[in-house]
Amino acid sequence: MDLLLQGLGNVFQPEVILLLIGGVIIGIIIGALPGLTATMGVALFLPVTFGMDAVTGVLLLIGVYFGSIYGGSIAAILLNTPGTPASAATALDGHAMTKQGKAGKALGYAAIASGVGGLISVLMLILIAPQLAGVALNFSAPEMFGLALFGLSIISSVSGGSVLKGLIAGVFGILISTIGMDPMTSYPRFTYDQLSLLNGFSFIPVMIGLFAVSEALVIMEGEIGGGDKIKKIIANYVLPKWNELKRLWFSMIRSGFIGTIIGIIPGAGADIAAFVSYNEGKRFLKKEEKETYGKGNPKGIVSAEAANNGVTGGAMIPLLTLGIPGDAVAAILLGALVVQGIQPGPQLFATSGELVYTLFAGMIIANILMVIFGISGIRLFVKILLVPKKMLAPLILILSTIGAYAISNNIFDVFTMLVAGVIGYFMKKYGFPASPIVLALILGPMAESEFRRSLVMSEGSYSIFLERPIALGFIIIAVLSLILPLVWGKLKKNKKVNAA
């Protein structure tokens, strides 16, 4: 406790706190811009920290990291355009609330849930980091396959009104994910001698196209409301009330723990955590609430946002205790620490206790700042919806193009985004959800590679998935997640027929 108090004192030095504030604000802006991911934001500011001392430099990057994960929810809620992959699940209920005239409440829920999830992850980091990191080391190929399969089973929960259409979209996404080099043999698959296809399709340009470009096309067509009605709604926006927040605390806390645990697992990320938590949020709903899930239910927003921000602290657990980054951003932070002459690992707490607890204190303050800026900025954020449609659609297309190109400076990604946008437009027209495709592109390659590695480990025996309890547990839950919605839908249909 003394070290933590000492760390708080170090954070509240004028230079440190100002850079932390600046990092959070910059992160929120980066996150809100489609395609500019948290990884990209932290990577851009890494060279800036080289001339700083260790604490100041790393806390600047942490501010950018935390702020950008939350910032993605702003565009997701207001424009149905996820600023980062982690906010794709937030768009499902968030944008529905915006169309209902509740943009202020949706942004408020996202800001508060992000702060709660982030604080839970930091508290777990402080209290039980070494023990949790040890559990994560038990995850090998079979467990990772089970996790990926469980993630894919969520397709049934993010399919909107039609599970069948969601499954069709998910299968389409899995098929797209097989394009490129074989993960085990590097043999080209479905590339048709096109060099651009050797690495397959990056899911970020596809996500930008499916959500952002398709939304711009719909806006240009004039199908999304605007004019006087929207102006009146935005001018009279309302923030969440305490009584409304009280009903969401359990969802926030549960999702914060889910995000932290998934963040600990190397290779898993905030996007996976958001979708897994979103699915689990639906399980805990009362029967009458499930009808509104995906159509503007606040619990959908807080489940996704608390989880994706819970990953931030979770990813730091294996980084600081074992020197193993939990995700891509943590890998960049590992580089920042090494450049500063700090080697993360089991000895870090013993040799640099004050530094570690200063980072912990900075993470706590960063989450609090994120909530403050998130809530205080809502009045400014919602004015995005007042931008005339003839200006908004081109602006979305320009930002989307910049974001898609900036990922790898590759014009092929821009064409991928545009094609995905046209596909997404027709999917909206015919009621096909876009989220299953993004989910399949993220988890499909992971499921395939981990499945094949598992078979290499077992010399071709499928029994490896039955012999490992964690992997078996994930597989059982995945099967139930796919089957139960179909069975439930059939029972409801029969009940209506009998009642008639």
Side-chain angles (χ1 to χ4, degrees):
M1 192 65 181
D2 290 339
L3 283 173
L4 185 60
L5 291 174
Q6 192 172 354
L8 282 169
N10 293 336
V11 171
F12 280 102
Q13 298 297 318
E15 180 186 358
V16 178
I17 193 66
L18 285 174
L19 280 172
L20 187 57
I21 290 171
V24 172
I25 294 173
I26 290 167
I28 291 174
I29 295 170
I30 289 173
L33 297 174
L36 300 183
T37 63
T39 306
M40 191 180 300
V42 175
L44 286 172
F45 278 85
L46 177 61
V48 178
T49 67
F50 291 163
M52 302 178 183
D53 63 81
V55 169
T56 307
V58 176
L59 284 180
L60 171 63
L61 298 180
I62 285 173
V64 174
Y65 179 23
F66 288 19
S68 58
I69 294 293
Y70 157 69
S73 68
I74 297 171
I77 289 170
L78 296 177
L79 303 173
N80 198 26
T81 303
T84 63
S87 57
T90 307
L92 299 174
D93 285 277
H95 190 61
M97 286 191 68
T98 294
K99 291 198 285 187
Q100 294 167 11
K102 301 175 183 177
K105 285 189 177 183
L107 290 167
Y109 292 137
I112 293 167
S114 296
V116 171
L119 287 171
I120 287 172
S121 70
V122 175
L123 291 175
M124 290 181 70
L125 172 63
I126 294 171
L127 296 174
I128 47 176
Q131 293 84 351
L132 288 175
V135 172
L137 288 181
N138 292 325
F139 274 65
S140 187
E143 287 76 21
M144 293 301 291
F145 167 72
L147 177 63
L149 188 65
F150 173 51
L152 287 170
S153 72
I154 295 167
I155 285 172
S156 60
S157 293
V158 296
S159 297
S162 174
V163 174
L164 178 60
K165 288 182 177 179
L167 292 175
I168 291 172
V171 170
F172 178 62
I174 291 173
L175 290 175
I176 295 174
S177 73
T178 62
I179 296 173
M181 291 189 292
D182 185 289
M184 301 295 287
T185 65
S186 297
Y187 187 82
R189 302 184 304 193
F190 311 115
T191 58
Y192 304 101
D193 296 325
Q194 298 295 315
L195 293 178
S196 300
L197 293 174
L198 284 176
N199 291 324
F201 291 107
S202 172
F203 74 88
I204 295 178
V206 174
M207 183 199 74
I208 294 171
L210 289 173
F211 285 97
V213 177
S214 66
E215 193 73 14
L217 294 175
V218 173
I219 289 173
M220 286 190 286
E221 193 180 37
E223 289 203 355
I224 287 185
D228 295 335
K229 184 180 178 182
I230 289 294
K231 289 180 181 179
K232 186 176 180 181
I233 290 170
I234 300 308
N236 298 297
Y237 79 95
V238 180
L239 295 176
K241 296 178 181 177
W242 174 248
N243 288 336
E244 294 170 324
L245 288 170
K246 282 198 300 185
R247 295 195 292 267
L248 302 175
W249 286 118
F250 178 70
S251 296
M252 293 184 199
I253 293 169
R254 180 191 64 241
S255 301
F257 280 107
I258 290 173
T260 304
I261 292 168
I262 291 178
I264 296 167
I265 303 169
D271 38 15
I272 297 174
F275 277 109
V276 169
S277 180
Y278 185 85
N279 180 64
E280 292 307 302
K282 188 173 184 178
R283 293 183 198 275
F284 285 87
L285 290 178
K286 295 176 182 177
K287 183 179 176 181
E288 58 273 15
E289 286 183 303
K290 290 186 178 181
E291 298 296 327
T292 63
Y293 211 63
K295 300 175 183 176
N297 192 317
K299 289 184 179 178
I301 297 174
V302 300
S303 293
E305 282 302 302
N308 62 33
N309 284 272
V311 168
T312 56
M316 299 294 289
I317 291 174
L319 170 65
L320 295 177
T321 58
L322 302 170
I324 301 171
D327 62 8
V329 181
I332 298 172
L333 292 174
L334 173 61
L337 289 168
V338 171
V339 166
Q340 298 287 355
I342 302 164
Q343 184 59 53
Q347 298 301 315
L348 180 63
F349 287 78
T351 58
S352 306
E354 183 179 343
L355 169 68
V356 171
Y357 279 89
T358 301
L359 295 181
F360 290 166
M363 291 177 198
I364 293 172
I365 301 302
N367 279 294
I368 294 171
L369 290 171
M370 183 175 65
V371 176
I372 293 171
F373 294 137
I375 295 292
S376 59
I378 289 176
R379 182 183 291 273
L380 176 64
F381 300 152
V382 295
K383 292 188 183 297
I384 293 172
L385 296 180
L386 293 175
V387 178
K389 286 189 288 185
K390 62 183 180 182
M391 294 175 58
L392 184 60
L395 183 62
I396 292 174
L397 288 173
I398 290 170
L399 291 174
S400 298
T401 302
I402 293 171
Y405 183 77
I407 296 164
S408 55
N409 296 329
N410 188 350
I411 196 66
F412 178 74
D413 286 337
V414 177
F415 288 122
T416 299
M417 176 202 71
L418 293 174
V419 172
V422 174
I423 293 172
Y425 169 78
F426 285 106
M427 288 176 69
K428 286 179 185 288
K429 285 286 187 182
Y430 293 100
F432 284 86
S435 298
I437 295 181
V438 176
L439 195 60
L441 280 171
I442 295 170
L443 293 173
M446 176 179 167
E448 180 192 3
S449 59
E450 300 300 345
F451 176 75
R452 292 172 66 180
R453 286 192 185 98
S454 300
L455 293 181
V456 170
M457 289 170 59
S458 65
E459 298 181 350
S461 173
Y462 294 97
S463 63
I464 190 170
F465 300 109
L466 304 177
E467 295 168 352
R468 301 177 75 108
I470 297 176
L472 180 61
F474 275 132
I475 292 170
I476 291 172
I477 296 171
V479 172
L480 291 175
S481 296
L482 282 171
I483 293 174
L484 289 180
L486 297 174
V487 173
W488 177 249
K490 187 71 174 174
L491 290 174
K492 275 178 63 178
K493 188 176 180 181
N494 291 338
K495 188 177 179 180
K496 287 181 181 178
V497 171
N498 293 334

